[in-house]
Amino acid sequence: MPMKIRIIVDSGSNFSAEEIDKYDLGYIPLHIIYPDGMVVDDVPQWDESIYDDIEKGTLRTSQPTPERIYEVFDETLKKYDYGIYLPLSSALSGTYMAASMVLSEMKTDRIKIMDSRQITIGIDVLVMRLLEEIEKGLDFCKVDEFFMNIRRRQRFYFLLETLEHLKRGGRIGRAAYVVGSMLKVVPLLVIDDDGYINVGKKVRGGVSKVIRIMRKYIEEGSIGPSSHMHVVLGRPRHRDIWPFARKLEERYGANIKKVRPLTAIHVGVWGVGVSYIEEG
């Protein structure tokens, strides 16, 4: 009998409520904190009016409680033979470490915590490729090897029309922020091998030129059915962003998603990102 393996994600990913149900994903919400101290879960279904508060830059986030992590792990072990948790990049959140401590106390080897070293749709792409392989009968003992292979071939390019949110959250160096804001250079951003947000290329010429470079990188890549290309955006203002996303949807079958609140709080709602796995 094939092993039943469940994938667990948190709100660092970008799955919709419908996708959570469709794939029966375990879901661990991180928290959104309002200026008055109110704390709410970043749930799979959200009202886009929250973007108004995000644009003001007044919201903060915090990692899930150990109790909530335990609940999802325990539920998974009751329903499935094994679980695989892909948390938000450990370079950007303490969730990975918190989950590792919970798992250590549970004393089980039936759940693996694998550092996604990704954010938002970057996690979604990895999950979709894992689900595809699980459907084919992936052995739980071989998950680590398979995961490292696909993560090595993953690409994530994105641009932000402003770096203000990244600067405010300390997730990009001040030097890079100055380059982007003072010298009118738009950086092409990437998620590096260690899971940090980094500048892949500094582009003088504005958003349109960065989009052309992203399109060139994608066209030069090996894209196929197992690439699981995803596009993420929020409230982009530049005229070229939506046509770019639609073109990727038309040509590669890209899944276009609105950025979820937790990610938007840290990167803003203006811009576009593309992630996929190069076919090997």
Side-chain angles (χ1 to χ4, degrees):
M1 180 180 296
M3 290 183 291
K4 293 172 62 179
I5 303 175
R6 183 194 212 185
I7 296 183
I8 304 164
V9 296
D10 57 40
S11 45
S13 68
N14 216 101
F15 285 106
S16 66
E18 292 76 20
E19 290 173 319
I20 295 289
D21 289 340
K22 179 179 179 180
Y23 303 115
D24 194 23
L25 302 176
Y27 185 83
I28 300 172
L30 277 74
H31 302 134
I32 296 173
I33 306 172
Y34 283 78
D36 63 2
M38 180 177 70
V39 179
V40 300
D41 286 348
D42 186 22
V43 295
Q45 191 81 40
W46 74 91
D47 186 335
E48 288 186 23
S49 64
I50 194 174
Y51 285 174
D52 297 332
D53 291 316
I54 291 172
E55 288 182 11
K56 297 172 186 174
T58 58
L59 304 184
R60 297 180 293 118
T61 65
S62 67
Q63 66 192 44
T65 63
E67 290 77 17
R68 180 62 68 90
I69 296 171
Y70 176 86
E71 286 174 8
V72 177
F73 283 3
D74 186 56
E75 177 205 11
T76 295
L77 293 179
K78 289 175 179 175
K79 295 174 60 177
Y80 284 78
D81 296 322
Y82 301 99
I84 303 171
Y85 176 31
L86 271 66
L88 179 62
S89 172
S90 65
L92 304 174
S93 168
T95 307
Y96 174 87
M97 185 60 67
S100 297
M101 293 175 64
V102 170
L103 187 60
S104 175
E105 293 179 2
M106 292 179 71
K107 302 185 186 308
T108 178
D109 58 1
R110 292 169 52 204
I111 289 181
K112 290 180 182 290
I113 303 174
M114 314 194 74
D115 190 353
S116 70
R117 299 187 186 178
Q118 281 290 347
I119 63 173
T120 184
I121 57 167
I123 298 173
D124 296 15
V125 168
L126 290 170
V127 169
M128 295 309 298
R129 185 64 185 90
L130 275 168
L131 287 171
E132 179 184 344
E133 206 65 16
I134 288 170
E135 186 68 23
K136 296 177 183 177
L138 177 65
D139 193 303
F140 188 69
C141 296
K142 297 181 179 179
V143 166
D144 296 84
E145 179 183 355
F146 178 77
F147 181 74
M148 293 301 294
N149 181 274
I150 60 174
R151 194 173 67 184
R152 187 167 52 247
R153 292 185 281 115
Q154 184 174 20
R155 306 290 179 262
F156 194 154
Y157 307 114
F158 63 107
L159 71 88
L160 300 173
E161 296 176 78
T162 172
L163 301 181
E164 185 61 39
H165 281 71
L166 275 181
K167 172 182 172 285
R168 186 183 298 122
R171 283 170 168 79
I172 192 167
R174 178 164 176 77
Y177 170 73
V178 170
V179 166
S181 61
M182 300 297 289
L183 303 182
K184 306 304 180 184
V185 173
V186 179
L188 172 62
L189 300 168
V190 298
I191 307 296
D192 65 25
D193 292 340
D194 294 320
Y196 288 95
I197 297 173
N198 219 325
V199 177
K201 188 177 183 67
K202 299 185 182 75
V203 182
R204 190 180 298 277
V207 170
S208 296
K209 189 169 182 180
V210 176
I211 288 176
R212 288 198 296 273
I213 292 172
M214 290 171 68
R215 184 182 297 117
K216 177 176 179 290
Y217 286 169
I218 293 167
E219 290 174 350
E220 291 175 348
S222 177
I223 312 296
S226 293
S227 294
H228 295 288
M229 183 181 289
H230 281 54
V231 177
V232 66
L233 31 70
R235 288 177 173 173
R237 295 174 293 198
H238 195 278
R239 66 184 183 278
D240 290 343
I241 290 180
W242 265 108
F244 171 62
R246 294 300 185 196
K247 191 67 176 179
L248 295 179
E249 180 184 43
E250 175 187 319
R251 182 167 181 179
Y252 301 106
N255 187 346
I256 299 176
K257 296 181 173 182
K258 289 293 189 75
V259 64
R260 71 174 311 104
L262 182 110
T263 303
I265 288 169
H266 295 291
V267 305
V269 297
W270 310 281
V272 62
V274 183
S275 185
Y276 58 91
I277 296 171
E278 294 263 8
E279 294 212 326

Short mmCIF file of all heavy atoms in Angstrom, two decimals, residues 84-144:
data_model
loop_
_atom_site.label_atom_id
_atom_site.label_comp_id
_atom_site.label_asym_id
_atom_site.label_seq_id
_atom_site.Cartn_x
_atom_site.Cartn_y
_atom_site.Cartn_z
N ILE A 84 5.36 16.34 5.82
CA ILE A 84 6.50 17.15 5.39
C ILE A 84 6.11 18.61 5.57
O ILE A 84 5.15 19.08 4.96
CB ILE A 84 6.85 16.90 3.91
CG1 ILE A 84 7.15 15.42 3.65
CG2 ILE A 84 8.05 17.77 3.50
CD1 ILE A 84 7.28 15.09 2.16
N TYR A 85 6.83 19.32 6.40
CA TYR A 85 6.53 20.74 6.65
C TYR A 85 7.54 21.62 5.94
O TYR A 85 8.75 21.49 6.14
CB TYR A 85 6.55 21.00 8.16
CG TYR A 85 6.33 22.44 8.56
CD1 TYR A 85 5.53 23.31 7.81
CD2 TYR A 85 6.90 22.95 9.73
CE1 TYR A 85 5.33 24.63 8.19
CE2 TYR A 85 6.69 24.26 10.14
CZ TYR A 85 5.92 25.09 9.35
OH TYR A 85 5.72 26.40 9.75
N LEU A 86 7.04 22.53 5.10
CA LEU A 86 7.88 23.50 4.40
C LEU A 86 7.56 24.90 4.94
O LEU A 86 6.67 25.58 4.44
CB LEU A 86 7.62 23.47 2.89
CG LEU A 86 8.44 22.49 2.05
CD1 LEU A 86 8.10 21.05 2.42
CD2 LEU A 86 8.19 22.72 0.57
N PRO A 87 8.26 25.33 5.97
CA PRO A 87 7.99 26.65 6.55
C PRO A 87 8.61 27.77 5.73
O PRO A 87 9.44 27.54 4.84
CB PRO A 87 8.66 26.57 7.92
CG PRO A 87 9.80 25.63 7.70
CD PRO A 87 9.33 24.62 6.70
N LEU A 88 8.20 28.97 6.05
CA LEU A 88 8.83 30.17 5.52
C LEU A 88 10.33 30.10 5.76
O LEU A 88 10.79 29.56 6.77
CB LEU A 88 8.23 31.39 6.24
CG LEU A 88 8.72 32.79 5.90
CD1 LEU A 88 8.44 33.12 4.45
CD2 LEU A 88 8.03 33.79 6.83
N SER A 89 11.12 30.62 4.83
CA SER A 89 12.58 30.59 4.91
C SER A 89 13.09 30.88 6.33
O SER A 89 12.70 31.87 6.95
CB SER A 89 13.18 31.60 3.94
OG SER A 89 14.58 31.72 4.14
N SER A 90 13.98 30.03 6.81
CA SER A 90 14.53 30.22 8.16
C SER A 90 15.38 31.49 8.25
O SER A 90 15.63 31.99 9.35
CB SER A 90 15.38 29.01 8.56
OG SER A 90 16.52 28.90 7.73
N ALA A 91 15.81 32.01 7.10
CA ALA A 91 16.59 33.24 7.10
C ALA A 91 15.72 34.46 7.38
O ALA A 91 16.23 35.53 7.74
CB ALA A 91 17.30 33.41 5.75
N LEU A 92 14.40 34.31 7.23
CA LEU A 92 13.49 35.44 7.35
C LEU A 92 12.49 35.30 8.49
O LEU A 92 11.75 36.24 8.79
CB LEU A 92 12.72 35.62 6.04
CG LEU A 92 13.57 35.80 4.78
CD1 LEU A 92 12.70 35.82 3.53
CD2 LEU A 92 14.40 37.08 4.88
N SER A 93 12.44 34.13 9.12
CA SER A 93 11.46 33.88 10.17
C SER A 93 11.99 32.85 11.17
O SER A 93 12.78 31.98 10.80
CB SER A 93 10.15 33.38 9.54
OG SER A 93 9.27 32.87 10.52
N GLY A 94 11.52 32.97 12.40
CA GLY A 94 11.91 32.00 13.42
C GLY A 94 11.01 30.78 13.47
O GLY A 94 11.17 29.91 14.32
N THR A 95 10.07 30.67 12.51
CA THR A 95 9.11 29.56 12.51
C THR A 95 9.80 28.21 12.36
O THR A 95 9.41 27.23 13.00
CB THR A 95 8.07 29.76 11.40
OG1 THR A 95 7.49 31.06 11.52
CG2 THR A 95 6.97 28.72 11.50
N TYR A 96 10.81 28.15 11.50
CA TYR A 96 11.53 26.88 11.29
C TYR A 96 12.11 26.38 12.62
O TYR A 96 11.97 25.20 12.97
CB TYR A 96 12.64 27.09 10.26
CG TYR A 96 13.54 25.89 10.07
CD1 TYR A 96 13.21 24.88 9.17
CD2 TYR A 96 14.73 25.77 10.79
CE1 TYR A 96 14.03 23.77 9.01
CE2 TYR A 96 15.56 24.68 10.64
CZ TYR A 96 15.21 23.68 9.74
OH TYR A 96 16.02 22.59 9.58
N MET A 97 12.76 27.26 13.37
CA MET A 97 13.36 26.86 14.64
C MET A 97 12.29 26.47 15.65
O MET A 97 12.44 25.49 16.38
CB MET A 97 14.22 28.00 15.18
CG MET A 97 14.98 27.64 16.44
SD MET A 97 16.12 26.24 16.20
CE MET A 97 17.30 27.01 15.08
N ALA A 98 11.19 27.23 15.71
CA ALA A 98 10.11 26.92 16.64
C ALA A 98 9.52 25.54 16.34
O ALA A 98 9.26 24.74 17.26
CB ALA A 98 9.02 27.98 16.56
N ALA A 99 9.31 25.25 15.06
CA ALA A 99 8.76 23.95 14.67
C ALA A 99 9.73 22.82 14.98
O ALA A 99 9.31 21.72 15.39
CB ALA A 99 8.41 23.96 13.18
N SER A 100 11.02 23.07 14.81
CA SER A 100 12.03 22.05 15.11
C SER A 100 12.02 21.69 16.59
O SER A 100 12.16 20.51 16.97
CB SER A 100 13.42 22.54 14.70
OG SER A 100 13.48 22.77 13.31
N MET A 101 11.81 22.69 17.44
CA MET A 101 11.75 22.44 18.87
C MET A 101 10.51 21.63 19.23
O MET A 101 10.56 20.70 20.05
CB MET A 101 11.76 23.76 19.63
CG MET A 101 13.07 24.52 19.51
SD MET A 101 13.03 26.16 20.29
CE MET A 101 12.80 25.71 22.00
N VAL A 102 9.37 21.94 18.59
CA VAL A 102 8.15 21.18 18.84
C VAL A 102 8.33 19.73 18.40
O VAL A 102 7.96 18.79 19.12
CB VAL A 102 6.96 21.81 18.08
CG1 VAL A 102 5.74 20.89 18.13
CG2 VAL A 102 6.62 23.17 18.66
N LEU A 103 8.90 19.54 17.23
CA LEU A 103 9.10 18.19 16.71
C LEU A 103 10.03 17.38 17.61
O LEU A 103 9.82 16.18 17.83
CB LEU A 103 9.64 18.25 15.29
CG LEU A 103 9.74 16.92 14.55
CD1 LEU A 103 8.37 16.26 14.42
CD2 LEU A 103 10.34 17.11 13.16
N SER A 104 11.05 18.03 18.12
CA SER A 104 11.99 17.35 19.03
C SER A 104 11.27 16.84 20.27
O SER A 104 11.53 15.72 20.74
CB SER A 104 13.11 18.31 19.43
OG SER A 104 13.96 17.74 20.38
N GLU A 105 10.34 17.63 20.78
CA GLU A 105 9.59 17.22 21.96
C GLU A 105 8.59 16.11 21.65
O GLU A 105 8.26 15.30 22.52
CB GLU A 105 8.87 18.42 22.56
CG GLU A 105 9.81 19.47 23.15
CD GLU A 105 9.07 20.66 23.71
OE1 GLU A 105 7.81 20.64 23.68
OE2 GLU A 105 9.73 21.60 24.19
N MET A 106 8.13 16.06 20.41
CA MET A 106 7.17 15.01 20.02
C MET A 106 7.83 13.65 19.85
O MET A 106 7.18 12.62 19.87
CB MET A 106 6.46 15.41 18.72
CG MET A 106 5.53 16.61 18.87
SD MET A 106 4.72 17.08 17.31
CE MET A 106 3.57 15.68 17.10
N LYS A 107 9.15 13.68 19.64
CA LYS A 107 9.93 12.44 19.51
C LYS A 107 9.34 11.50 18.45
O LYS A 107 9.04 10.33 18.71
CB LYS A 107 10.03 11.71 20.85
CG LYS A 107 10.66 12.55 21.95
CD LYS A 107 10.85 11.77 23.22
CE LYS A 107 11.36 12.64 24.36
NZ LYS A 107 12.55 13.42 24.03
N THR A 108 9.16 12.02 17.25
CA THR A 108 8.69 11.21 16.13
C THR A 108 9.57 11.43 14.92
O THR A 108 10.10 12.53 14.72
CB THR A 108 7.23 11.56 15.77
OG1 THR A 108 6.82 10.77 14.66
CG2 THR A 108 7.09 13.03 15.41
N ASP A 109 9.74 10.38 14.14
CA ASP A 109 10.50 10.52 12.90
C ASP A 109 9.57 10.46 11.69
O ASP A 109 10.01 10.27 10.56
CB ASP A 109 11.57 9.43 12.79
CG ASP A 109 10.99 8.02 12.85
OD1 ASP A 109 9.74 7.88 12.96
OD2 ASP A 109 11.77 7.05 12.78
N ARG A 110 8.28 10.66 11.95
CA ARG A 110 7.30 10.58 10.86
C ARG A 110 6.99 11.95 10.24
O ARG A 110 6.19 12.05 9.32
CB ARG A 110 6.01 9.94 11.38
CG ARG A 110 6.16 8.46 11.73
CD ARG A 110 4.95 7.95 12.48
NE ARG A 110 3.71 8.25 11.77
CZ ARG A 110 2.52 8.35 12.36
NH1 ARG A 110 2.41 8.22 13.68
NH2 ARG A 110 1.43 8.61 11.64
N ILE A 111 7.63 12.99 10.77
CA ILE A 111 7.49 14.31 10.17
C ILE A 111 8.87 14.88 9.89
O ILE A 111 9.76 14.81 10.73
CB ILE A 111 6.71 15.26 11.11
CG1 ILE A 111 5.24 14.87 11.17
CG2 ILE A 111 6.83 16.72 10.63
CD1 ILE A 111 4.39 15.77 12.05
N LYS A 112 9.03 15.42 8.70
CA LYS A 112 10.26 16.10 8.32
C LYS A 112 9.97 17.59 8.22
O LYS A 112 8.95 18.00 7.68
CB LYS A 112 10.76 15.62 6.95
CG LYS A 112 11.30 14.20 6.92
CD LYS A 112 11.77 13.86 5.51
CE LYS A 112 12.28 12.43 5.41
NZ LYS A 112 13.56 12.25 6.12
N ILE A 113 10.87 18.41 8.76
CA ILE A 113 10.80 19.85 8.57
C ILE A 113 11.91 20.22 7.60
O ILE A 113 13.09 20.03 7.90
CB ILE A 113 10.97 20.60 9.90
CG1 ILE A 113 9.91 20.16 10.91
CG2 ILE A 113 10.89 22.11 9.67
CD1 ILE A 113 10.10 20.75 12.29
N MET A 114 11.54 20.74 6.46
CA MET A 114 12.50 21.04 5.41
C MET A 114 12.51 22.54 5.16
O MET A 114 11.48 23.12 4.82
CB MET A 114 12.15 20.27 4.14
CG MET A 114 11.81 18.81 4.42
SD MET A 114 11.77 17.77 2.96
CE MET A 114 13.51 17.64 2.62
N ASP A 115 13.65 23.16 5.37
CA ASP A 115 13.75 24.61 5.19
C ASP A 115 13.50 24.95 3.72
O ASP A 115 14.31 24.64 2.85
CB ASP A 115 15.14 25.08 5.62
CG ASP A 115 15.24 26.59 5.69
OD1 ASP A 115 14.29 27.28 5.27
OD2 ASP A 115 16.29 27.08 6.16
N SER A 116 12.39 25.61 3.46
CA SER A 116 12.06 25.95 2.07
C SER A 116 13.05 26.95 1.49
O SER A 116 13.29 26.96 0.29
CB SER A 116 10.65 26.57 2.00
OG SER A 116 10.64 27.87 2.58
N ARG A 117 13.63 27.79 2.36
CA ARG A 117 14.48 28.90 1.93
C ARG A 117 13.77 29.72 0.86
O ARG A 117 14.39 30.25 -0.07
CB ARG A 117 15.84 28.39 1.42
CG ARG A 117 16.63 27.65 2.48
CD ARG A 117 18.02 27.30 2.04
NE ARG A 117 18.68 26.46 3.04
CZ ARG A 117 19.90 25.96 2.92
NH1 ARG A 117 20.61 26.23 1.82
NH2 ARG A 117 20.41 25.20 3.86
N GLN A 118 12.45 29.81 1.02
CA GLN A 118 11.63 30.52 0.05
C GLN A 118 10.55 31.31 0.77
O GLN A 118 10.33 31.17 1.98
CB GLN A 118 10.97 29.52 -0.92
CG GLN A 118 11.87 29.02 -2.03
CD GLN A 118 12.20 30.10 -3.04
OE1 GLN A 118 11.58 31.17 -3.07
NE2 GLN A 118 13.18 29.84 -3.88
N ILE A 119 9.87 32.13 -0.01
CA ILE A 119 8.72 32.88 0.47
C ILE A 119 7.59 32.73 -0.54
O ILE A 119 7.81 32.34 -1.68
CB ILE A 119 9.04 34.38 0.66
CG1 ILE A 119 9.43 35.04 -0.68
CG2 ILE A 119 10.15 34.57 1.68
CD1 ILE A 119 9.59 36.54 -0.62
N THR A 120 6.39 33.03 -0.13
CA THR A 120 5.19 33.11 -0.95
C THR A 120 5.11 32.01 -2.03
O THR A 120 5.18 30.83 -1.73
CB THR A 120 5.02 34.56 -1.53
OG1 THR A 120 3.81 34.66 -2.23
CG2 THR A 120 6.19 34.99 -2.37
N ILE A 121 5.00 32.39 -3.31
CA ILE A 121 4.83 31.38 -4.36
C ILE A 121 6.03 30.46 -4.52
O ILE A 121 5.91 29.38 -5.10
CB ILE A 121 4.49 32.02 -5.72
CG1 ILE A 121 5.58 33.02 -6.12
CG2 ILE A 121 3.11 32.65 -5.70
CD1 ILE A 121 5.51 33.47 -7.57
N GLY A 122 7.20 30.89 -4.02
CA GLY A 122 8.36 30.00 -4.08
C GLY A 122 8.09 28.72 -3.31
O GLY A 122 8.50 27.63 -3.72
N ILE A 123 7.38 28.84 -2.18
CA ILE A 123 6.98 27.66 -1.41
C ILE A 123 5.92 26.87 -2.18
O ILE A 123 5.97 25.64 -2.26
CB ILE A 123 6.44 28.08 -0.03
CG1 ILE A 123 7.54 28.79 0.77
CG2 ILE A 123 5.91 26.86 0.74
CD1 ILE A 123 7.07 29.38 2.09
N ASP A 124 4.96 27.58 -2.77
CA ASP A 124 3.89 26.91 -3.52
C ASP A 124 4.44 26.03 -4.64
O ASP A 124 3.98 24.91 -4.86
CB ASP A 124 2.93 27.94 -4.12
CG ASP A 124 2.19 28.75 -3.06
OD1 ASP A 124 2.61 28.72 -1.90
OD2 ASP A 124 1.20 29.40 -3.42
N VAL A 125 5.42 26.56 -5.35
CA VAL A 125 6.02 25.81 -6.47
C VAL A 125 6.66 24.51 -5.97
O VAL A 125 6.49 23.44 -6.55
CB VAL A 125 7.06 26.69 -7.20
CG1 VAL A 125 7.89 25.86 -8.17
CG2 VAL A 125 6.36 27.82 -7.94
N LEU A 126 7.41 24.61 -4.87
CA LEU A 126 8.04 23.41 -4.30
C LEU A 126 6.99 22.39 -3.87
O LEU A 126 7.14 21.18 -4.10
CB LEU A 126 8.91 23.80 -3.10
CG LEU A 126 10.18 24.59 -3.40
CD1 LEU A 126 10.79 25.10 -2.10
CD2 LEU A 126 11.20 23.73 -4.16
N VAL A 127 5.93 22.87 -3.24
CA VAL A 127 4.87 21.98 -2.77
C VAL A 127 4.20 21.28 -3.95
O VAL A 127 3.95 20.06 -3.90
CB VAL A 127 3.83 22.76 -1.95
CG1 VAL A 127 2.58 21.90 -1.69
CG2 VAL A 127 4.42 23.21 -0.62
N MET A 128 3.90 22.02 -5.00
CA MET A 128 3.22 21.41 -6.16
C MET A 128 4.09 20.33 -6.80
O MET A 128 3.59 19.29 -7.23
CB MET A 128 2.84 22.48 -7.17
CG MET A 128 1.80 23.48 -6.68
SD MET A 128 0.32 22.70 -5.98
CE MET A 128 -0.29 21.79 -7.42
N ARG A 129 5.40 20.57 -6.85
CA ARG A 129 6.29 19.55 -7.43
C ARG A 129 6.38 18.33 -6.50
O ARG A 129 6.42 17.19 -6.98
CB ARG A 129 7.68 20.15 -7.65
CG ARG A 129 8.65 19.20 -8.36
CD ARG A 129 8.19 18.88 -9.77
NE ARG A 129 9.05 17.88 -10.40
CZ ARG A 129 8.85 16.57 -10.34
NH1 ARG A 129 7.80 16.08 -9.64
NH2 ARG A 129 9.66 15.74 -10.94
N LEU A 130 6.38 18.56 -5.19
CA LEU A 130 6.39 17.45 -4.25
C LEU A 130 5.09 16.63 -4.35
O LEU A 130 5.13 15.39 -4.34
CB LEU A 130 6.56 17.96 -2.82
CG LEU A 130 7.99 18.21 -2.34
CD1 LEU A 130 7.98 18.99 -1.03
CD2 LEU A 130 8.75 16.89 -2.17
N LEU A 131 3.97 17.32 -4.44
CA LEU A 131 2.68 16.62 -4.58
C LEU A 131 2.66 15.76 -5.83
O LEU A 131 2.13 14.63 -5.82
CB LEU A 131 1.53 17.63 -4.61
CG LEU A 131 1.17 18.31 -3.30
CD1 LEU A 131 0.17 19.44 -3.53
CD2 LEU A 131 0.61 17.29 -2.30
N GLU A 132 3.23 16.29 -6.89
CA GLU A 132 3.30 15.52 -8.15
C GLU A 132 4.09 14.24 -7.95
O GLU A 132 3.69 13.16 -8.41
CB GLU A 132 3.95 16.38 -9.23
CG GLU A 132 4.10 15.68 -10.58
CD GLU A 132 4.86 16.53 -11.59
OE1 GLU A 132 4.99 17.75 -11.38
OE2 GLU A 132 5.32 15.96 -12.60
N GLU A 133 5.20 14.35 -7.24
CA GLU A 133 6.05 13.17 -7.03
C GLU A 133 5.44 12.21 -6.02
O GLU A 133 5.57 10.99 -6.15
CB GLU A 133 7.44 13.62 -6.58
CG GLU A 133 8.56 12.65 -6.91
CD GLU A 133 8.80 12.47 -8.39
OE1 GLU A 133 8.32 13.30 -9.19
OE2 GLU A 133 9.47 11.48 -8.77
N ILE A 134 4.76 12.73 -5.01
CA ILE A 134 4.08 11.87 -4.04
C ILE A 134 3.01 11.04 -4.74
O ILE A 134 2.82 9.86 -4.45
CB ILE A 134 3.46 12.72 -2.91
CG1 ILE A 134 4.58 13.27 -2.01
CG2 ILE A 134 2.46 11.92 -2.09
CD1 ILE A 134 4.10 14.31 -1.01
N GLU A 135 2.31 11.66 -5.68
CA GLU A 135 1.29 10.96 -6.46
C GLU A 135 1.90 9.80 -7.23
O GLU A 135 1.24 8.77 -7.46
CB GLU A 135 0.61 11.95 -7.43
CG GLU A 135 -0.55 11.37 -8.20
CD GLU A 135 -1.76 11.06 -7.33
OE1 GLU A 135 -1.90 11.67 -6.24
OE2 GLU A 135 -2.57 10.21 -7.74
N LYS A 136 3.17 9.93 -7.60
CA LYS A 136 3.86 8.87 -8.34
C LYS A 136 4.43 7.80 -7.41
O LYS A 136 4.99 6.81 -7.88
CB LYS A 136 5.00 9.46 -9.17
CG LYS A 136 4.55 10.41 -10.27
CD LYS A 136 5.77 11.00 -10.98
CE LYS A 136 5.38 12.01 -12.03
NZ LYS A 136 6.57 12.64 -12.67
N GLY A 137 4.32 8.04 -6.08
CA GLY A 137 4.80 7.04 -5.13
C GLY A 137 6.12 7.36 -4.47
O GLY A 137 6.86 6.45 -4.06
N LEU A 138 6.45 8.64 -4.33
CA LEU A 138 7.70 9.03 -3.69
C LEU A 138 7.84 8.39 -2.31
O LEU A 138 6.94 8.47 -1.48
CB LEU A 138 7.76 10.56 -3.54
CG LEU A 138 8.97 11.14 -2.82
CD1 LEU A 138 10.25 10.88 -3.60
CD2 LEU A 138 8.78 12.64 -2.59
N ASP A 139 8.98 7.75 -2.07
CA ASP A 139 9.27 7.12 -0.79
C ASP A 139 9.68 8.19 0.22
O ASP A 139 10.51 9.05 -0.08
CB ASP A 139 10.39 6.09 -0.95
CG ASP A 139 10.54 5.18 0.25
OD1 ASP A 139 10.74 5.71 1.36
OD2 ASP A 139 10.45 3.96 0.09
N PHE A 140 9.11 8.14 1.42
CA PHE A 140 9.41 9.13 2.44
C PHE A 140 10.90 9.19 2.75
O PHE A 140 11.44 10.25 3.06
CB PHE A 140 8.62 8.81 3.72
CG PHE A 140 8.70 9.88 4.77
CD1 PHE A 140 8.08 11.11 4.59
CD2 PHE A 140 9.38 9.65 5.97
CE1 PHE A 140 8.15 12.10 5.57
CE2 PHE A 140 9.45 10.62 6.95
CZ PHE A 140 8.84 11.86 6.75
N CYS A 141 11.57 8.06 2.65
CA CYS A 141 13.02 8.00 2.93
C CYS A 141 13.84 8.74 1.89
O CYS A 141 15.01 9.07 2.12
CB CYS A 141 13.49 6.55 3.00
SG CYS A 141 12.75 5.60 4.34
N LYS A 142 13.24 9.01 0.73
CA LYS A 142 13.97 9.67 -0.35
C LYS A 142 13.55 11.13 -0.54
O LYS A 142 13.95 11.78 -1.50
CB LYS A 142 13.77 8.89 -1.65
CG LYS A 142 14.33 7.48 -1.60
CD LYS A 142 14.13 6.75 -2.92
CE LYS A 142 14.71 5.34 -2.86
NZ LYS A 142 14.50 4.61 -4.13
N VAL A 143 12.75 11.62 0.37
CA VAL A 143 12.24 12.98 0.25
C VAL A 143 13.37 14.01 0.28
O VAL A 143 13.38 14.95 -0.52
CB VAL A 143 11.22 13.28 1.38
CG1 VAL A 143 10.96 14.78 1.48
CG2 VAL A 143 9.92 12.54 1.11
N ASP A 144 14.33 13.84 1.20
CA ASP A 144 15.42 14.82 1.32
C ASP A 144 16.18 14.97 0.02
O ASP A 144 16.44 16.09 -0.43
CB ASP A 144 16.38 14.40 2.44
CG ASP A 144 15.72 14.38 3.80
OD1 ASP A 144 15.07 13.37 4.13
OD2 ASP A 144 15.82 15.38 4.52
#
